[in-house]
Amino acid sequence: MMTGMVIKTLPVGEYDRHVTILTKERGKITAFAKGARRPNSRLVAATNPFSFGEFKLYVGKNSYTVLDASISNYFEELRNDFIAAYYGMYFLELTDYYTRENNDEVKMLKLLYQTMRALCLPSLSNELIRYIFEMKSLVINGEFPGIPQWEGLLESTAYSIQYIMDSSIEKLYTFTVNEQVLAQLKDISHFYMNRLIDRKLKSLQVLEEML
């Protein structure tokens, strides 16, 4: 059994799926889920994006096969919030970009799980969640340049960035900011992401067209 979250799924043939799962034990893995697109399959929901839980896998010579799954959180709230769901798809794609097979990806899995929980809370701004997720992803992967020495940077903005850098993942989504700070976090996050991510993610393009 491996604990993880489905971050990508692709149809194969008429009834099957290839799923990419970010796991605690082996980082990112790709597995074959036979019959997962059949309406009566026990894997039909378990192999959807966002599904988090335990996956029973057969480890073959060159690939994994999903035999069964026990899902503890489907993040069903996202089905009723179209915009939040697209934010979630962007976070899945950014996670897919950064993670690797047989790598220690426990921090990214924790970040992804806590971020999805945050998206389900109406009290938190999706936009703020995005900038926190982007910056913390860079921190975890050793690419965050730190607080920029920009003219006009508000003290509250600098404090927020320092908190994102230093906070445990479990306590990451426990603050809000005013519009001025949010605007500066947006500028900084966009600047860093455009500089450090070598391609435009498709889900982000769709999200920005929607907003």
Side-chain angles (χ1 to χ4, degrees):
M1 298 290 281
M2 295 189 200
T3 300
M5 183 184 293
V6 177
I7 61 174
K8 186 166 65 175
T9 180
L10 293 171
V12 177
E14 191 173 355
Y15 296 115
D16 307 329
R17 280 176 174 165
H18 271 142
V19 292
T20 302
I21 309 169
L22 184 63
T23 71
K24 182 173 70 173
E25 294 81 5
R26 298 198 183 180
K28 184 171 68 177
I29 64 168
T30 300
F32 180 71
K34 187 175 181 180
R37 294 166 62 211
R38 292 182 183 274
N40 60 347
S41 171
R42 66 185 184 280
L43 296 177
V44 67
T47 54
N48 281 330
F50 306 124
S51 298
F52 177 88
E54 292 189 331
F55 296 85
K56 184 178 181 181
L57 301 166
Y58 170 74
V59 184
K61 186 176 181 181
N62 298 311
S63 63
Y64 295 90
T65 301
V66 181
L67 301 177
D68 204 354
S70 176
I71 302 302
S72 57
N73 201 334
Y74 291 99
F75 296 99
E76 293 178 352
E77 296 91 340
L78 299 182
R79 297 180 186 178
N80 302 318
D81 189 335
F82 193 64
I83 298 297
Y86 269 91
Y87 272 99
M89 293 303 294
Y90 166 54
F91 299 149
L92 293 184
E93 189 177 1
L94 185 58
T95 299
D96 186 37
Y97 174 89
Y98 263 122
T99 53
R100 300 289 181 270
E101 190 169 343
N102 295 319
N103 240 15
D104 181 359
E105 303 292 1
V106 171
K107 288 184 179 179
M108 281 301 295
L109 179 60
K110 271 187 181 181
L111 176 61
L112 187 61
Y113 183 81
Q114 293 298 334
T115 302
M116 294 307 169
R117 288 186 63 194
L119 275 178
C120 295
L121 298 174
S123 59
L124 287 176
S125 155
N126 291 338
E127 195 176 357
L128 177 59
I129 292 170
R130 171 185 171 179
Y131 307 141
I132 293 173
F133 181 83
E134 289 174 342
M135 291 188 195
K136 195 66 169 182
S137 295
L138 295 177
V139 171
I140 289 171
N141 289 282
E143 293 188 345
F144 192 71
I147 301 171
Q149 302 303 307
W150 289 2
E151 185 178 350
L153 188 72
L154 297 170
E155 185 177 339
S156 296
T157 303
Y159 178 84
S160 297
I161 295 172
Q162 193 67 54
Y163 184 83
I164 293 167
M165 292 170 62
D166 297 341
S167 172
S168 67
I169 292 170
E170 291 80 3
K171 295 182 179 179
L172 198 56
Y173 297 105
T174 57
F175 71 96
T176 58
V177 298
N178 62 35
E179 291 300 318
Q180 284 181 301
V181 173
L182 186 65
Q184 289 195 335
L185 291 176
K186 175 182 179 179
D187 290 342
I188 293 164
S189 191
H190 283 192
F191 177 77
Y192 286 160
M193 294 296 288
N194 288 335
R195 194 173 75 176
L196 296 169
I197 304 296
D198 62 6
R199 64 177 182 267
K200 192 78 170 179
L201 303 184
K202 292 180 181 179
S203 54
L204 180 57
Q205 290 177 311
V206 173
L207 180 62
E208 290 179 341
E209 288 171 2
M210 293 172 56
L211 298 175

